[in-house]
Amino acid sequence: VIEVQNLTKTYQLGRDTVVKALRGLSFSIQEGEFVAIMGPSGSGKSTLMHILGCLDVPSKGVYLLDGKETNRMTDNQLARFRNHKIGFVFQSFNLLPRTSAVENVELPLVYNGYRNARKLATEALDRVGLMDRLHHRPNELSIGQQQRVAIARALVTGPSLILADEPTGNLDTRSSEEVLSIIQSLNDEGRTIVLVTHEHDISQHAKRLVRLRDGLIVSDEPVSDR
Amino acid sequence: VIEVQNLTKTYQLGRDTVVKALRGLSFSIQEGEFVAIMGPSGSGKSTLMHILGCLDVPSKGVYLLDGKETNRMTDNQLARFRNHKIGFVFQSFNLLPRTSAVENVELPLVYNGYRNARKLATEALDRVGLMDRLHHRPNELSIGQQQRVAIARALVTGPSLILADEPTGNLDTRSSEEVLSIIQSLNDEGRTIVLVTHEHDISQHAKRLVRLRDGLIVSDEPVSDR
Ligand SMILES: Nc1ncnc2c1ncn2[C@@H]1O[C@H](COP(=O)(O)OP(=O)(O)OP(=O)(O)O)[C@@H](O)[C@H]1O
Ligand SMILES: Nc1ncnc2c1ncn2[C@@H]1O[C@H](COP(=O)(O)OP(=O)(O)OP(=O)(O)O)[C@@H](O)[C@H]1O
Ligand SMILES: [Mg+2]
Ligand SMILES: [Mg+2]
């Protein structure tokens, strides 16, 4: 479902500063896989995730999504992938600040024409333990609660590709385990999962572990016992 | 240095919704202690930290800082505590978006009249591994890099009370250990540390562990072997 070839991302800041965030990544992910991505802070994980989620474009290289080259897609085609196929949990949540939790979660459903958007959004928030926070706005929520709203929003349309960038970074052990079991059951249904994490314990829930360092893949191995 | 008595914080949202974020906390912290605070997402940790940092006021109860009641201090006195005595690492960083990393870190120094602000800020960023990111603005930094800028800014004036709200939540293991060893050496110098974390391993660096649940303290114990 995902194939990247020599993916490169370079930022130019001012006249002299060049940051090579990705330096030529090549890998592929089959449908139904559960891949964890680890690596030091600043190694390029979020940059890669944004490209995979069609939220950014590489400087060089190719990204094939379901066999189609993304750099040859129209804006409409890319938007359809982003809104229908892909569920993205952002490392910094990206919630709409002036709307409530349930309105934030129902947005992708409304956008996709679901009639029971409010009901599905409420159930999604219930599953992440936020039934009593439906009408709170993000600044009336703890950071971990905001993270769970972001998770609920990413998963509510039942996307076939889930890109989760540190979804448990701000959660206590019990909430982390609950979120991981939701993700696990989605994978059991055949959905493809790519999960960035800093925690070794979390990575062990995946079936394959890709390690980044300075914008390059340094290892790509199955997870033992999985 | 810190004493709270029956600290309560209640939020009123709209007409019907009341959130009791803190339900009557009482404890004290002596100078030079190293206290970890743990608890489920939404249990009141950040709310407590904001009150301890003089960034918020309780609904009821008393907060004595260096023996003085904070609710009887003038705005100037509170500001002096915030800017001179306390270093606060925010869970959501709170960096100025349009200024570079080094300018963000030098701000407390400039505010306090240091002449070598730029030099001290540069050294602080070097200590957290961001020497090559001095002139990047927050949106040109990874989330973990932003977190390290927030840490450098909190510590740069050498405050006697350090309040760190999940300072390693978005850091890889190696960066976390580096940050914790900086915090440990500050405690070795006699500074008081209060550190919120979700990770048991991180909490074991402290000498005392306070657990919150639903806005109450449920345990307050020394950390074994420390
Ligand atoms: N402005 C607000 N209005 C209403 N409720 C609020 C407000 N700010 C926080 N809350 C609620 O207060 C409770 C405590 O929030 P707090 O941010 O202190 O939790 P926390 O322990 O830091 O959680 P986390 O581990 O997720 O960061 C939460 O249930 C939250 O929903
Ligand atoms: N807009 C930008 N301009 C310049 N450099 C950038 C920009 N965005 C990111 N970078 C740099 O690209 C590198 C990769 O960033 P990225 O956010 O992908 O890291 P990451 O692996 O997700 O890190 P973390 O674990 O801290 O979240 C970092 O060194 C960062 O400083
Ligand atoms: Mg990242
Ligand atoms: Mg918090």
Side-chain angles (χ1 to χ4, degrees):
Chain A
V1 64
I2 283 175
E3 186 176 345
V4 305
Q5 300 164 0
N6 206 32
L7 213 64
T8 302
K9 182 73 181 180
T10 302
Y11 294 106
Q12 183 87 38
L13 291 188
R15 281 161 317 168
D16 313 317
T17 312
V18 173
V19 176
K20 294 183 183 167
L22 299 177
R23 299 166 189 252
L25 302 186
S26 301
F27 63 89
S28 62
I29 297 178
Q30 309 305 321
E31 195 174 353
E33 282 202 61
F34 189 161
V35 183
I37 300 181
M38 295 186 81
S41 175
S43 55
K45 307 177 297 298
S46 296
T47 303
L48 172 61
M49 293 289 269
H50 277 73
I51 291 170
L52 295 182
C54 301
L55 298 157
D56 196 6
V57 287
S59 311
K60 288 188 227 159
V62 176
Y63 172 30
L64 296 154
L65 180 56
D66 284 353
K68 306 175 195 62
E69 288 192 43
T70 52
N71 55 8
R72 292 188 187 177
M73 289 183 188
T74 63
D75 283 353
N76 274 342
Q77 286 174 310
L78 283 168
R80 228 178 299 133
F81 268 109
R82 277 198 305 266
N83 298 318
H84 291 270
K85 179 177 180 72
I86 299 169
F88 202 117
V89 186
F90 291 87
Q91 192 176 9
S92 52
F93 323 147
N94 290 22
L95 301 176
L96 296 175
R98 295 206 212 102
T99 55
S100 69
V102 68
E103 287 169 319
N104 262 285
V105 175
E106 80 181 351
L107 214 64
L109 296 165
V110 171
Y111 191 85
N112 283 310
Y114 286 65
R115 286 170 185 249
N116 54 353
R118 175 61 51 118
K119 175 163 168 293
L120 291 175
T122 302
E123 288 170 5
L125 284 166
D126 195 11
R127 267 196 299 279
V128 293
L130 291 174
M131 199 61 192
D132 56 355
R133 292 287 182 273
L134 297 176
H135 306 294
H136 284 232
R137 272 169 286 154
N139 69 348
E140 295 161 343
L141 293 172
S142 79
I143 297 293
Q145 290 166 344
Q146 292 177 41
Q147 186 159 40
R148 283 181 273 156
V149 176
I151 290 160
R153 181 185 59 181
L155 305 184
V156 75
T157 54
S160 58
L161 171 62
I162 292 159
L163 304 175
D165 196 346
E166 298 263 11
T168 61
N170 282 292
L171 297 180
D172 53 282
T173 308
R174 182 179 150 197
S175 306
S176 293
E177 286 302 322
E178 287 169 5
V179 165
L180 286 166
S181 80
I182 293 170
I183 290 174
Q184 184 59 58
S185 55
L186 291 166
N187 187 236
D188 293 343
E189 289 172 13
R191 300 168 203 280
T192 311
I193 317 278
V194 184
L195 177 131
V196 171
T197 180
H198 278 309
E199 293 181 57
H200 181 76
D201 291 357
I202 306 281
S203 73
Q204 299 305 291
H205 286 75
K207 296 176 192 147
R208 173 181 167 196
L209 175 55
V210 172
R211 288 189 184 275
L212 290 192
R213 183 173 205 84
D214 290 327
L216 289 169
I217 293 179
V218 294
S219 75
D220 184 350
E221 302 290 330
V223 169
S224 39
D225 314 333
R226 297 275 282 131
Chain B
V1 64
I2 283 175
E3 187 177 346
V4 305
Q5 301 163 2
N6 207 32
L7 214 64
T8 302
K9 182 74 182 181
T10 303
Y11 294 106
Q12 182 87 39
L13 292 188
R15 280 163 317 170
D16 312 318
T17 311
V18 172
V19 176
K20 294 183 183 169
L22 299 176
R23 298 167 190 251
L25 302 186
S26 302
F27 63 89
S28 61
I29 297 177
Q30 309 304 321
E31 193 173 354
E33 281 203 61
F34 188 161
V35 183
I37 299 181
M38 294 187 81
S41 175
S43 54
K45 307 177 297 296
S46 296
T47 304
L48 171 62
M49 292 291 268
H50 276 74
I51 291 170
L52 295 182
C54 302
L55 298 158
D56 197 6
V57 287
S59 310
K60 289 189 225 159
V62 176
Y63 173 30
L64 296 154
L65 180 55
D66 284 354
K68 306 172 193 65
E69 288 192 44
T70 52
N71 56 8
R72 293 187 186 177
M73 290 182 188
T74 64
D75 284 352
N76 274 342
Q77 286 175 310
L78 284 167
R80 229 178 299 135
F81 269 109
R82 276 197 305 267
N83 298 317
H84 289 272
K85 179 176 181 74
I86 299 170
F88 202 118
V89 185
F90 290 87
Q91 192 176 8
S92 51
F93 323 147
N94 290 21
L95 301 176
L96 297 176
R98 294 207 213 99
T99 54
S100 68
V102 69
E103 288 169 321
N104 262 285
V105 175
E106 81 181 347
L107 214 64
L109 297 165
V110 172
Y111 191 84
N112 283 310
Y114 286 65
R115 286 171 187 249
N116 55 353
R118 175 62 50 118
K119 174 165 170 289
L120 290 175
T122 303
E123 289 171 3
L125 284 165
D126 194 12
R127 268 196 299 278
V128 293
L130 291 175
M131 201 62 193
D132 56 354
R133 291 287 181 274
L134 298 177
H135 305 294
H136 284 232
R137 272 169 286 155
N139 69 348
E140 295 161 342
L141 293 171
S142 78
I143 297 292
Q145 289 166 344
Q146 293 178 39
Q147 187 160 39
R148 282 180 274 156
V149 175
I151 290 161
R153 181 186 58 181
L155 305 183
V156 74
T157 54
S160 59
L161 171 61
I162 293 158
L163 303 174
D165 197 346
E166 299 261 11
T168 62
N170 282 292
L171 298 180
D172 53 280
T173 308
R174 182 179 151 197
S175 307
S176 293
E177 286 301 323
E178 287 170 4
V179 164
L180 286 165
S181 80
I182 293 170
I183 291 174
Q184 184 58 59
S185 54
L186 291 166
N187 187 236
D188 294 342
E189 289 172 14
R191 299 169 204 281
T192 311
I193 317 279
V194 183
L195 177 130
V196 171
T197 180
H198 278 308
E199 294 179 56
H200 182 74
D201 291 357
I202 306 283
S203 72
Q204 298 305 292
H205 286 76
K207 296 176 192 147
R208 173 181 167 196
L209 175 56
V210 172
R211 288 190 183 272
L212 290 192
R213 184 172 204 84
D214 290 329
L216 289 168
I217 292 179
V218 293
S219 75
D220 183 350
E221 301 291 330
V223 169
S224 39
D225 313 332
R226 296 276 282 131

